Amino acid sequence: MKQTKSLFRRFLKGHLLFIFFPPIVLIFFSAFIEFSIHGEDPITFNPFYFILLLFGFIIVAFVVMSWLFFLRLRKRLTHLQEVMSFSANHNSFPQPISVQSDRMDEIDQLGSSFNWMIQQLEDSRKREYEEELLRHQLIANLSHDLRTPLTILRGHITRLNKESISLEGQDSLTEINHTITRVGDLMDDLLSYTLLTSGKHPFGPTSTDIGRLVRASVAAWYPVFEEKEIQLDVDLPTEETFYWEADPKWITRVLDNLFQNILRHAPEGKYANIVVDVEKELIIVADRGPGMDNSSYERGAGIGLSTSNYMLKKMKLKADFTSNEYGTRVAIGRA
């Protein structure tokens, strides 16, 4: 930005004009002009008192002008600081500040740069919001459009199962059916994540009995674990519990995702450990699978984990993951 005027240059000019110029004029007149009153003898100046008066005038003028200058400077800087502090305290963009274009000194240039930064941030936020809205609409439409061909494929698989085909063909149909189910689940996860991040998924936090909720979730999943021959090792106290201010449906959804990941990515471990630690207020879910570094886990658990992490963050909770080749342990607690 081109600098048109300088605040400090005006400050120096003012001091030169009102501090040094008047004493010079006084010295000039005192040297060449004598004053007389009613024809009496001319009045002469005592050099000592004259110099003392002169320096006193300079000092007083310097102090007064400096005080006025820095008072105005402090007022303008304080106003700018208050605007910035307001935005930081209220977690919002600050309002543009007024700038005098005819003056345009260093402080006004700083304010102008500040206003330009605010405008750029607002434009960026607007573009980000529009892009996010477009992405959400695209994902929602894509999830809806893909359901029809998947339903048609499943119908053809059901028809082929009634035909006489070889065992290899039956195995292929079973794998195709499993893949279609998996794609449907991924679309559901993607749609759920889209609804969550766009604020369209209902959220109703309430005081929730965590021990009771985990016991209900484990009871609902127990037949599935039993069918897959996965040993359940549970420690769910019945007489002690703790409470979180959370949405019960969201907590259940997070647990469902963790249990589903065990079935999908760690079935060979044949083990699941589910613990409610009342003393530390933790929910612990562990398995003996290949760990999260396994390519299968990374490829299939991303959307579900992102959804779970978003829900937990919204409820002021967090999930700590510990994973190696011997298994994965997830501890859910307060953030």
Side-chain angles (χ1 to χ4, degrees):
M1 181 181 297
K2 184 179 180 180
Q3 179 173 327
T4 57
K5 295 183 180 180
S6 173
L7 180 68
F8 295 99
R9 185 176 300 174
R10 293 208 313 269
F11 171 73
L12 295 177
K13 286 181 179 179
H15 278 63
L16 179 63
L17 180 63
F18 293 101
I19 294 178
F20 296 105
F21 183 71
I24 293 174
V25 173
L26 289 176
I27 293 174
F28 176 80
F29 277 100
S30 66
F32 297 98
I33 300 177
E34 294 182 347
F35 296 92
S36 62
I37 301 177
H38 301 295
E40 298 179 358
D41 294 336
I43 299 175
T44 59
F45 294 95
N46 188 319
F48 174 77
Y49 292 107
F50 178 76
I51 294 175
L52 183 63
L53 180 63
L54 184 61
F55 275 99
F57 172 80
I58 293 175
I59 292 174
V60 172
F62 180 82
V63 171
V64 172
M65 291 192 64
S66 299
W67 183 80
L68 292 175
F69 171 78
F70 287 107
L71 184 64
R72 292 181 58 192
L73 180 63
R74 179 183 179 276
K75 183 179 179 181
R76 295 172 64 186
L77 291 176
T78 301
H79 175 66
L80 185 60
Q81 186 267 338
E82 288 175 351
V83 174
M84 294 181 178
S85 299
F86 178 84
S87 62
N89 295 333
H90 294 78
N91 194 23
S92 62
F93 283 146
Q95 296 295 325
I97 62 175
S98 59
V99 175
Q100 295 186 14
S101 58
D102 56 337
R103 180 176 56 193
M104 214 57 188
D105 54 26
E106 289 86 349
I107 305 298
D108 289 313
Q109 291 184 48
L110 178 61
S112 180
S113 299
F114 179 71
N115 292 341
W116 179 83
M117 180 188 67
I118 294 174
Q119 185 63 42
Q120 294 298 312
L121 290 175
E122 290 179 348
D123 293 342
S124 176
R125 183 174 64 173
K126 183 179 180 180
R127 288 194 301 269
E128 182 181 358
Y129 173 77
E130 293 175 351
E131 292 173 358
E132 187 72 15
L133 182 62
L134 180 61
R135 183 164 57 251
H136 289 167
Q137 292 176 349
L138 178 62
I139 292 175
N141 294 335
L142 182 63
S143 300
H144 180 269
D145 293 341
L146 286 178
R147 293 184 184 278
T148 300
L150 289 178
T151 302
I152 295 175
L153 287 175
R154 195 182 297 276
H156 285 290
I157 291 173
T158 302
R159 181 182 301 175
L160 288 174
N161 281 327
K162 298 178 182 179
E163 302 292 335
S164 299
I165 56 178
S166 63
L167 293 178
E168 293 181 355
Q170 287 287 348
D171 293 338
S172 297
L173 290 177
T174 302
E175 184 62 29
I176 292 173
N177 189 44
H178 174 74
T179 302
I180 292 174
T181 302
R182 176 65 181 139
V183 172
D185 293 339
L186 287 175
M187 287 193 304
D188 290 338
D189 291 340
L190 185 59
L191 184 59
S192 297
Y193 183 76
T194 303
L195 292 175
L196 279 173
T197 53
S198 61
K200 296 181 179 180
H201 201 289
F203 175 55
T206 184
S207 182
T208 305
D209 186 335
I210 300 302
R212 181 178 179 181
L213 186 145
V214 175
R215 287 196 300 272
S217 295
V218 172
W221 279 84
Y222 183 80
V224 182
F225 284 117
E226 188 177 30
E227 181 182 356
K228 297 295 183 178
E229 298 181 353
I230 295 178
Q231 176 188 350
L232 274 181
D233 181 12
V234 299
D235 183 6
L236 308 175
T238 56
E239 298 181 357
E240 297 180 345
T241 187
F242 60 91
Y243 292 83
W244 283 343
E245 193 70 21
D247 190 323
K249 295 181 180 179
W250 284 27
I251 292 289
T252 302
R253 177 67 180 271
V254 171
L255 293 175
D256 289 345
N257 179 260
L258 295 177
F259 297 159
Q260 193 174 59
N261 285 337
I262 293 176
L263 295 174
R264 290 177 179 174
H265 310 288
E268 61 270 26
K270 301 294 182 181
Y271 177 81
N273 178 230
I274 305 170
V275 178
V276 173
D277 191 331
V278 177
E279 182 178 354
K280 297 181 180 179
E281 295 192 0
L282 292 176
I283 302 174
I284 301 173
V285 179
D287 62 61
R288 293 177 181 172
M292 296 185 67
D293 292 335
N294 179 268
S295 59
S296 174
Y297 199 105
E298 290 181 342
R299 184 172 59 251
I303 299 176
L305 288 180
S306 297
T307 303
S308 297
N309 288 331
Y310 183 89
M311 287 181 168
L312 292 174
K313 184 178 180 180
K314 187 76 172 180
M315 295 184 290
K316 299 181 180 180
L317 302 173
K318 65 177 181 178
D320 293 326
F321 289 83
T322 304
S323 183
N324 53 39
E325 65 272 17
Y326 302 107
T328 300
R329 179 181 181 272
V330 185
I332 301 175
R334 296 184 185 273

